[in-house]
Amino acid sequence: MRIPRHLAKLLKAGLLAAAMLSLAACASAVGLDGPASTLNSAGDQARRIEELMAPIFWMGLVVFIIVEGFLVYTVIRFRKRANSGIPAQVHGNTRIEIAWTIAPALIAVVVSVLTFRVQAANAVLPADSLYITAVGHQWWFEFQYPEQGADGQPLLTASDMYIPVGKSVIITLKGADVVHNFWVPKLAGKTYMIPGKVNYMSFTAEQPGVYLAACSEFCGEAHALMRFRVIALPADEFAKWLSQAKVPPVAAAGAGVLNGDPTRGQALFADPKKQCASCHAVDGTAAKGIVGPNLTYFGSRLTLAGGILPNTPENLSRWLHNPGAMKPGNLMGKVITPTWVQGNLTEQDIADIVAYLESMKISVDLPVASK
Amino acid sequence: MAVIERPHGGVATPQAPVSKEYMGWESWLTTVDHKKIGIIYMVAAFIFFLIGGIEALLMRMQLGTPNNTFLSPDVYNQMMTMHGTTMVFLVVMPFNVGLANYIVPLMIGARDMAFPRLNALSVWLFLFGGLMLYFSFMAGGAPAMGWFAYAPLTMKQFSPTFGVDYWIIGLLLTGVASIAGALNFVVTILNMRAPGMSINRMPLFVWMTLITAFLLVFAFPSLTAGQIALFFDRHFETRFFNPAQGGDAILWMHLFWFFGHPEVYILILPTMGIISEVLSTFSRKPIFGYAFVAYSGVSIGFLGFLVWSHHMFAVGLGPLANAFFAAASMLIAIPTGVKIFNWIATMYLGTIDLKTPMYYGIAFVAMFIIGGISGITLASPPVNLQQTDSYYVVAHFHYVLFGGAIFGIFAGLYYWFPKFTGRMYNELLGKIQFWLTFISFNVTFFPMHITGTNGMPRRIYTYEAGMGWDLYNLISTIGSFAMAVGVLVLVWNAITSVRNGAIAPNDPWDGASLEWAVPSPPPAHNFDKTPIVYSRRPLWDIKYPDLDAAHEIGTRAISRRERMEQEMAKMGEQLGEDHIHLPSQTYNPLIVAFGLLVAGFGAIYIATPFAFIASLIGLFIMGVGIVGWVRDSHKDSPYLVSH
Amino acid sequence: MSAPTTTHGDESHAPAHVAPAHPSVGSLGVDSRKLGVWAFIGSETLFFAALIVIYLINVPVNMARADAQDPKELLGIAFTSILAAILLASSLTMVLALAASKRKDMRQFTIWHLATIGLGLCFLGGQVYEFTHLYEEGLTLSSSMLGTTFFVLTGFHGTHVAIGATWLFATWLKVRKYPDSPENLMDIELAGLYWHFVDLVWVAIFTLIYLI
Ligand code: HEA
Ligand code: HEA
Ligand code: CUA
Ligand SMILES: [Cu+2]
């Protein structure tokens, strides 16, 4: 009997879906649905990978059960007993050998074919995409939106990557110093950020959300503390974010958080003697450093210190007192040591800088952090 | 020169030595006996295993709970790097080399390795290389870059301490040792086989050792070239891997993995050989499909050179390259599967005697299947992009490296323990250790599949709570400490058994290969008379001459014992072994190795005046050793001795 | 267990040859040391292959850089052709030396053997000259990718030439001291084998780096 083509297609799709759903069910049973789980995709790339993992997993499981089953059966069935003598001295059987050479070969072919299909699908860089350049630094992620800033300049930000839902993005990946690895488990697989080489990857977020992401190639002392977030916003929200991010921020007047004075903070931040501006920039101000992350609209960042701490005034203040203690080995900690801080910044200075940085905000509705 | 008169019927009794013999501890430093050298390799490797294990325990302590501060990041990174480097270069490789050193000459009916002094040089270079690597802890810190040392993190700018230099020079020393050792095995196995021990009669352990030796010969130079280039980058401002000056970070990855993937088969193939011996002996059956097992080893070795970029799928080499390396990697499932099936078929219909080595042999097969299947998922590039550099990979390679290589090594250790020591190990302790290790191994490493799939990157010294990693990490940590208890039981068993274990007979397992035909432990000259081999299972076929005559495909089942014996007697006369010549003990290989060590220290501090002095002294010591070595070699030459 | 020599099998599988107790010619029918040298040469081949590949990949890629140095301009073919000729000639003299020693013609052997070493030393001298010349023209280990890869590759080759020459010299000393030792032939052959290999590496370097 011949199965009509569309039916076969449907069957195959159904099988794949069943494979995936049952895998997902098993997965959640063992707690495999954490916030960075690869089995809980929210983007097209990750979803296609998940759809590929499922059949490979089940095939692997079948191989496992058959082979281990046979092994265990053999060991139990033929273990030495009181009356066992010397068994027949069998040396081999060419026909059996051929059979069990072909069987794994067939499985390997199936896995390869499935693999190549997903590989091809995931290699596409769609024409109409949003371009973002991501640069890995020791130990933070920089994001550039080419031509999206004021006057067609690139828009620079760090640690939070905003993207629109439902539109493909093409990420241009670069490494500033050593090899880093760009990984947003729920959206796509990894791609290295290699100094001296430019890599591209593309994905589309299929649901709004805040996605945890991390550097996953060992890149030195604080590799464990190099993280970022991808914030996927509905298209209109994203447009709102972009239009605000383009415009340089103005420091709020009046008292800010921690009883600091944002206006004074702005002046301190740009003051060469206070060092902030030698590494950091804030658009539209005299602070134009390029070594560290661009801090424009810092108040809206979800985290600080390269994605490791919630962005609260208290954390920021702690950070400014002794960055080296919170992120061992980082560059800022080598300059801004506790002794240096004592000699150069008063408590009020720090409060003012905190108030200034936290005052620069973009208003968008953030999606609820992904489960 | 030690001369042993050929016995006429009786047992060999060593005559008074011609030249001075070193006794006691000096006999170890001066030895050129493959058995003693094998023991040095194995003991050193086992001590390194304890050290690497302690490093692992420290890491597991740190990772047991989220946001832990037990280790500082720098210390953790050093532990991680040294753990990986130690386990690969200083544990599994030398242990396999040591086992092969001891067993291979016995199995093929030889009196020693082809180049006994080179063999001694290898063991000392390995030992010095390892000690040098560990000296880095006292010289400003061990390397902290991961065992594959990706550039440009290894450039002076990012790794200013001497750790990387110790890693380079230490591993260069062990690398020279490995290549020298491999050459020795190639020549020994091809050229020192007893009469009748044709290639297709060699025990499978010998086969796998031969393949491994070829892999070493062809894979190591790539690492050596890379390390030399890296050394130049760090000290002479060359540009190989420095992207800021036009260098290529990816080049290092290619050089490393062109070595690195064959390396993992270098780690596993000898243990596959061990397993082939153990499973067959304790099933009391010949290996099923001898030729298929042997040739699948060859094809694994060959394919092993074509898959290195599966470690680099995330590098962005392009879909075509990735597809090629993916397909090649999956191909390896075929010969490996063939091996697995043949092993199971060997046990099938056998009489399985569940002694400790057999437990480990079976566990090897069982665990290797898991590690192999996770390898196949990793070989699919899209899937790999989610799993690479996560704990899923850590799970994969511990299943193949611990569940595979180490279980195989344990099997071999118990299997040949009576041969090495002349004593039986304690079977009960052996089984206790097995169950402890087997269970806690799975408790430790199985959860890593889950943490990896749950998005946990590898090589992180800390993580935050609530990612779905906490519980599984805690389980892993608990498992690792249970494993440590297992290791202690093994140590205890070994020490007490060497002291007061039951005296081991020559052939405790009713074995099939020649090492069981000689006393336990074997005399220095191994065989009183060079054995003559008529079949694949020489010893078995003497013991059971009428049971299994059809042991070679295409031959008729016949029993002609008497005629055979006559013929062999004739052969023995032809050999005309009036006396057995064994090379004499010598300090010179040790001296040469020591000279290289000193020169190596000079290289590490190349920017200082110390370098010059150390290199000179080192080269001088080496020169002294080489001159002495040449003298030693003259003593082996009948012509030169008589002149 | 009785003596380990008694085994059983089919007569059609009787061994074709019998190895002596301490064989130099072993079960493969080749001298052990020769086999070892061959395997060593296999390993060395991969080492040089790696260095050559590094050169071939990196130098062209780096030509776009501002500080790039062009091999076509800097590496003179004329002079290195002479060096290549010298080394090739030394392979020839090596063959002659071996042939002479087979004929037990000690005088001829000494001439050709020392000529081989001499030519090797000429090559090394020429290389030193070339290196200083290039250095004066501004090509150094760190001046460009060309300098980096060129000096490391040819430097390691030069080191191998030096080792080969030392080996030949040591062989000569031994042969001179024991002119009628039966081992001489093999000693000379092994040193020669290595020497030919070192020459061949130069042929590869010369073709791939200077000519193409
Ligand atoms: C003993 C060592 C050993 C062995 C034997 C293997 C065996 C295999 N390995 Fe593994 N591997 C390592 C040690 C080893 N590996 C190490 C140390 C690393 C990490 C290095 C690092 O990053 O630090 C690594 C990493 C690694 C990666 C890169 C992961 C990454 O970093 O992204 C990949 C990807 O393809 C891979 C694949 C494979 C495959 C396909 C096999 C195959 O050989 C497996 C074949 C075996 C089987 C398949 C099971 C038996 C077969 C059957 C029962 C037949 C039927 C089965 C099927 C048809 C599926 N390995
Ligand atoms: C053969 C190889 C081998 C073996 C046997 C092991 C054994 C173990 N390994 Fe691992 N491991 C690697 C090879 C190996 N490993 C490699 C190559 C890496 C990658 C490194 C890198 O990323 O660069 C790695 C990485 C690695 C990591 C990941 C680190 C990271 O990414 O941050 C972890 C984490 O848990 C780990 C754990 C363990 C544990 C718990 C054991 C245990 O099984 C250890 C068991 C042994 C003991 C427990 C020793 C017992 C000692 C005693 C009882 C003390 C007795 C003391 C005296 C007598 C004085 N290993
Ligand atoms: Cu960046 Cu790890
Ligand atoms: Cu691999």
Side-chain angles (χ1 to χ4, degrees):
Chain A
M1 190 195 84
R2 282 198 50 189
I3 307 170
R5 252 180 103 182
H6 62 275
L7 205 73
K9 250 190 180 159
L10 212 74
L11 235 134
K12 217 159 63 188
L15 254 161
L16 272 181
M20 223 182 107
L21 283 177
S22 45
L23 181 63
C26 294
S28 69
V30 291
L32 256 173
D33 49 1
S37 170
T38 53
L39 295 184
N40 206 354
S41 58
D44 63 334
Q45 294 257 335
R47 179 174 44 75
R48 278 192 290 266
I49 296 176
E50 218 188 316
E51 286 166 1
L52 174 62
M53 277 176 177
I56 295 183
F57 174 80
W58 291 118
M59 277 190 272
L61 194 67
V62 169
V63 170
F64 173 81
I65 291 172
I66 294 177
V67 185
E68 302 274 3
F70 195 50
L71 173 69
V72 171
Y73 166 80
T74 302
V75 171
I76 294 174
R77 170 72 183 72
F78 298 106
R79 70 183 190 283
K80 189 170 150 191
R81 286 157 225 251
N83 58 351
S84 10
I86 294 182
Q89 303 292 297
V90 182
H91 291 269
N93 179 326
T94 308
R95 219 172 306 156
I96 294 180
E97 298 285 351
I98 291 171
W100 63 39
T101 307
I102 291 174
L106 289 179
I107 301 176
V109 168
V110 173
V111 174
S112 299
V113 170
L114 291 175
T115 291
F116 296 152
R117 289 210 327 228
V118 175
Q119 226 195 334
N122 274 3
V124 175
L125 299 179
D128 175 36
S129 299
L130 173 70
Y131 277 81
I132 304 174
T133 301
V135 187
H137 296 263
Q138 273 183 329
W139 291 279
W140 56 281
F141 284 88
E142 175 182 6
F143 302 108
Q144 309 168 353
Y145 295 72
E147 299 172 18
Q148 303 286 352
D151 312 325
Q153 293 295 308
L155 173 68
L156 301 186
T157 179
S159 295
D160 289 345
M161 187 172 97
Y162 284 82
I163 59 169
V165 171
K167 183 180 168 73
S168 76
V169 290
I170 293 180
I171 319 275
T172 307
L173 298 141
K174 295 177 178 169
D177 32 43
V178 301
V179 180
H180 302 276
N181 195 346
F182 182 97
W183 189 26
V184 201
K186 292 193 157 196
L187 298 181
K190 303 180 191 66
T191 310
Y192 281 170
M193 311 169 100
I194 306 170
K197 181 181 196 304
V198 179
N199 271 333
Y200 300 92
M201 71 187 290
S202 155
F203 55 82
T204 307
E206 291 173 333
Q207 296 155 29
V210 176
Y211 300 109
L212 297 179
C215 172
S216 51
E217 178 57 47
F218 185 71
C219 52
E221 194 170 355
H223 155 67
L225 304 181
M226 181 171 170
R227 306 197 199 126
F228 68 105
R229 278 161 181 70
V230 175
I231 300 162
L233 299 174
D236 51 337
E237 248 350 87
F238 179 76
K240 231 167 90 190
W241 174 80
L242 196 60
S243 65
Q244 293 173 66
K246 268 188 182 58
V247 187
V250 277
V257 291
L258 296 183
N259 292 323
D261 173 359
T263 328
R264 186 162 174 275
Q266 176 166 21
L268 287 169
F269 191 85
D271 181 352
K273 285 211 268 319
K274 304 300 179 197
Q275 292 288 6
C276 309
S278 44
C279 296
H280 297 285
V282 172
D283 295 353
T285 72
K288 296 204 178 325
I290 52 164
V291 178
N294 183 307
L295 297 182
T296 311
Y297 288 115
F298 182 85
S300 285
R301 301 266 162 92
L302 300 180
T303 58
L304 53 83
I308 56 171
L309 291 169
N311 182 6
T312 64
E314 293 72 26
N315 276 341
L316 181 57
S317 169
R318 263 199 329 148
W319 171 261
L320 291 178
H321 278 89
N322 189 359
M326 293 164 79
K327 192 165 186 171
N330 92 79
L331 195 58
M332 181 162 170
K334 296 199 172 113
V335 183
I336 313 299
T337 59
T339 0
W340 183 90
V341 171
Q342 254 178 6
N344 294 278
L345 291 173
T346 64
E347 285 302 312
Q348 189 57 47
D349 289 347
I350 291 180
D352 292 345
I353 294 172
V354 171
Y356 165 59
L357 288 174
E358 299 290 7
S359 74
M360 296 182 281
K361 278 194 189 259
I362 290 177
S363 78
V364 284
D365 281 339
L366 285 185
V368 273
S370 68
K371 57 168 160 68
Chain B
M1 174 174 54
V3 178
I4 296 162
E5 215 60 49
R6 182 188 175 202
H8 292 285
V11 177
T13 40
Q15 282 207 329
V18 175
S19 63
K20 183 177 158 232
E21 292 279 327
Y22 296 101
M23 299 305 198
W25 57 270
E26 270 189 293
S27 72
W28 290 94
L29 298 183
T30 56
T31 187
V32 289
D33 178 352
H34 71 97
K35 298 180 287 300
K36 280 193 162 167
I37 291 175
I39 301 262
I40 301 175
Y41 265 119
M42 286 187 274
V43 170
F46 196 85
I47 292 172
F48 280 124
F49 175 64
L50 295 180
I51 297 173
I54 291 171
E55 284 158 356
L57 293 180
L58 291 173
M59 288 197 292
R60 284 309 332 163
M61 279 285 265
Q62 165 69 14
L63 293 176
T65 51
N67 298 316
N68 198 354
T69 53
F70 173 68
L71 296 181
S72 76
D74 190 39
V75 171
Y76 181 91
N77 296 337
Q78 293 180 27
M79 290 301 144
M80 174 267 288
T81 307
M82 291 298 276
H83 165 73
T85 309
T86 303
M87 290 297 192
V88 170
F89 292 97
L90 307 179
V91 177
V92 177
M93 275 175 82
F95 205 99
N96 286 338
V97 172
L99 261 183
N101 234 299
Y102 201 111
I103 296 298
V104 163
L106 288 168
M107 277 186 161
I108 61 174
R111 292 238 151 75
D112 205 325
M113 297 283 284
F115 308 113
R117 280 177 291 269
L118 189 66
N119 203 17
L121 177 68
S122 299
V123 76
W124 299 123
L125 276 179
F126 145 67
L127 198 59
F128 288 157
L131 291 176
M132 178 172 231
L133 184 61
Y134 268 88
F135 190 77
S136 64
F137 275 114
M138 285 175 278
M145 63 213 178
W147 80 284
F148 46 70
Y150 276 0
L153 185 62
T154 48
M155 301 281 104
K156 254 214 149 81
Q157 186 190 350
F158 302 108
S159 298
T161 68
F162 285 102
V164 180
D165 302 305
Y166 276 97
W167 182 84
I168 295 173
I169 304 291
L171 288 192
L172 276 178
L173 291 186
T174 64
V176 174
S178 297
I179 291 186
L183 298 177
N184 219 336
F185 278 118
V186 168
V187 178
T188 305
I189 295 173
L190 290 181
N191 230 14
M192 308 276 286
R193 282 167 286 129
M197 178 61 83
S198 55
I199 296 270
N200 64 2
R201 283 179 186 159
M202 297 191 315
L204 283 163
F205 180 59
V206 179
W207 259 104
M208 295 307 132
T209 304
L210 180 64
I211 298 166
T212 305
F214 275 111
L215 291 186
L216 278 164
V217 165
F218 293 118
F220 245 86
S222 176
L223 176 66
T224 306
Q227 286 178 320
I228 287 173
L230 177 60
F231 188 79
F232 272 72
D233 270 6
R234 283 177 65 82
H235 296 287
F236 303 114
E237 288 167 26
T238 54
R239 302 177 168 203
F240 290 105
F241 310 122
N242 189 350
Q245 291 186 302
D248 188 355
I250 301 170
L251 176 65
W252 169 267
M253 303 181 190
H254 281 300
L255 288 171
F256 187 89
W257 289 118
F258 184 80
F259 150 79
H261 188 86
E263 169 73 9
V264 308
Y265 293 123
I266 288 168
L267 302 175
I268 202 73
L269 280 173
T271 58
M272 289 178 160
I274 298 171
I275 293 317
S276 306
E277 303 300 329
V278 167
L279 294 183
S280 149
T281 301
F282 291 98
S283 305
R284 314 205 70 198
K285 272 179 64 194
I287 189 86
F288 193 89
Y290 172 91
F292 289 90
V293 178
Y295 292 129
S296 61
V298 176
S299 65
I300 289 174
F302 180 75
L303 286 172
F305 279 102
L306 300 179
V307 302
W308 77 90
S309 283
H310 69 205
H311 296 270
M312 299 166 61
F313 285 146
V315 165
L317 299 176
L320 224 62
N322 285 356
F324 170 81
F325 286 107
S329 305
M330 288 182 201
L331 278 184
I332 297 191
I334 300 166
T336 318
V338 167
K339 270 185 186 306
I340 303 252
F341 299 138
N342 277 302
W343 286 327
I344 299 178
T346 302
M347 290 185 268
Y348 194 78
L349 291 177
T351 301
I352 299 175
D353 192 2
L354 285 170
K355 294 276 177 4
T356 309
M358 190 60 172
Y359 271 103
Y360 273 110
I362 295 164
F364 174 101
V365 179
M367 295 300 100
F368 189 79
I369 293 169
I370 301 178
I373 291 174
S374 62
I376 295 299
T377 70
L378 284 167
S380 164
V383 178
N384 175 284
L385 293 183
Q386 284 286 29
Q387 296 173 337
T388 183
D389 282 329
S390 79
Y391 261 78
Y392 189 90
V393 177
V394 179
H396 159 66
F397 65 68
H398 282 95
Y399 266 86
V400 280
L401 281 173
F402 199 112
I406 297 282
F407 277 18
I409 283 172
F410 283 172
L413 187 62
Y414 281 107
Y415 181 55
W416 284 302
F417 187 89
K419 189 54 59 185
F420 298 153
T421 62
R423 304 271 187 169
M424 299 304 290
Y425 61 85
N426 181 318
E427 194 65 54
L428 178 66
L429 283 178
K431 282 182 185 150
I432 291 175
Q433 191 240 342
F434 170 79
W435 285 113
L436 258 174
T437 309
F438 180 76
I439 293 170
S440 55
F441 162 78
N442 282 292
V443 170
T444 307
F445 295 114
F446 194 81
M448 293 183 183
H449 293 108
I450 298 176
T451 48
T453 308
N454 240 342
M456 180 167 169
R458 65 193 280 204
R459 296 170 165 175
I460 55 174
Y461 76 95
T462 188
Y463 55 93
E464 53 191 318
M467 301 291 290
W469 308 339
D470 313 6
L471 175 66
Y472 292 113
N473 269 301
L474 185 63
I475 296 176
S476 282
T477 299
I478 294 169
S480 67
F481 280 87
M483 209 165 357
V485 178
V487 174
L488 287 179
V489 174
L490 172 66
V491 174
W492 175 252
N493 193 352
I495 293 176
T496 51
S497 302
V498 168
R499 294 227 177 124
N500 10 337
I503 300 292
N506 291 359
D507 183 17
W509 313 127
D510 201 5
S513 42
L514 287 174
E515 79 272 26
W516 303 114
V518 296
S520 305
H525 58 286
N526 292 354
F527 299 97
D528 294 344
K529 270 168 80 182
T530 299
I532 298 168
V533 178
Y534 284 93
S535 78
R536 233 171 238 165
R537 298 198 296 162
L539 184 60
W540 178 275
D541 288 334
I542 310 171
K543 291 185 289 194
Y544 306 101
D546 305 316
L547 184 67
D548 174 35
H551 34 246
E552 282 175 31
I553 298 162
T555 54
R556 280 181 299 128
I558 33 167
S559 168
R560 300 177 192 165
R561 184 144 47 133
E562 239 165 283
R563 221 182 105 193
M564 230 57 249
E565 274 169 3
Q566 279 169 9
E567 203 149 312
M568 277 180 300
K570 223 162 59 193
M571 282 271 198
E573 291 311 318
Q574 267 179 356
L575 284 176
E577 292 176 300
D578 281 338
H579 49 250
I580 299 162
H581 171 94
L582 292 178
S584 19
Q585 295 167 325
T586 167
Y587 270 112
N588 291 312
L590 180 60
I591 294 174
V592 173
F594 185 70
L596 271 168
L597 175 72
V598 175
F601 269 101
I604 288 175
Y605 295 99
I606 193 131
T608 65
F610 165 79
F612 188 65
I613 304 169
S615 311
L616 272 189
I617 298 177
L619 289 179
F620 177 75
I621 298 175
M622 213 175 106
V624 170
I626 289 176
V627 170
W629 187 315
V630 171
R631 294 236 168 86
D632 290 335
S633 68
H634 285 185
K635 282 186 225 153
D636 290 347
S637 150
Y639 171 82
L640 295 180
V641 168
S642 59
H643 283 70
Chain C
M1 238 7 276
S2 64
T5 48
T6 31
T7 63
H8 167 81
D10 188 83
E11 69 208 304
S12 64
H13 287 266
H17 55 266
V18 174
H22 192 73
S24 61
V25 175
S27 33
L28 205 69
V30 187
D31 180 273
S32 279
R33 290 193 300 154
K34 197 158 161 184
L35 200 58
V37 171
W38 271 114
F40 180 57
I41 286 176
S43 189
E44 292 265 88
T45 306
L46 265 100
F47 176 74
F48 278 107
L51 289 182
I52 292 175
V53 167
I54 294 174
Y55 178 97
L56 292 180
I57 290 178
N58 272 356
V59 171
V61 171
N62 268 264
M63 286 313 289
R65 283 176 62 90
D67 61 359
Q69 289 170 304
D70 188 352
K72 291 268 167 306
E73 277 166 27
L74 285 163
L75 308 180
I77 295 186
F79 185 69
T80 35
S81 303
I82 301 176
L83 289 186
I86 291 178
L87 217 47
L88 283 178
S90 80
S91 260
L92 182 67
T93 53
M94 189 66 234
V95 171
L96 292 173
L98 185 64
S101 80
K102 275 187 185 148
R103 296 193 309 269
K104 303 222 179 307
D105 184 342
M106 275 314 281
R107 217 180 65 92
Q108 288 268 319
F109 163 73
T110 307
I111 292 175
W112 294 125
H113 198 83
L114 291 183
T116 310
I117 298 173
L119 287 171
L121 293 180
C122 284
F123 174 85
L124 284 177
Q127 203 175 33
V128 170
Y129 170 79
E130 192 200 9
F131 279 14
T132 29
H133 179 71
L134 289 173
Y135 190 80
E136 278 160 10
E137 296 213 334
L139 186 71
T140 69
L141 267 177
S142 56
S143 68
S144 68
M145 187 53 84
L146 176 68
T148 291
T149 49
F150 173 81
F151 281 119
V152 171
L153 169 58
T154 52
F156 267 95
H157 176 259
T159 318
H160 280 72
V161 174
I163 294 171
T166 317
W167 186 346
L168 286 174
F169 189 68
T171 310
W172 181 69
L173 286 182
K174 190 176 167 200
V175 171
R176 204 178 61 137
K177 193 159 170 210
Y178 309 102
D180 39 34
S181 159
E183 288 156 21
N184 286 350
L185 205 58
M186 185 49 71
D187 285 343
I188 298 165
E189 196 179 332
L190 293 182
L193 202 57
Y194 187 72
W195 189 257
H196 292 313
F197 165 71
V198 172
D199 281 2
L200 270 179
V201 172
W202 181 257
V203 173
I205 292 176
F206 183 66
T207 323
L208 292 171
I209 282 158
Y210 289 91
L211 292 185
I212 299 175

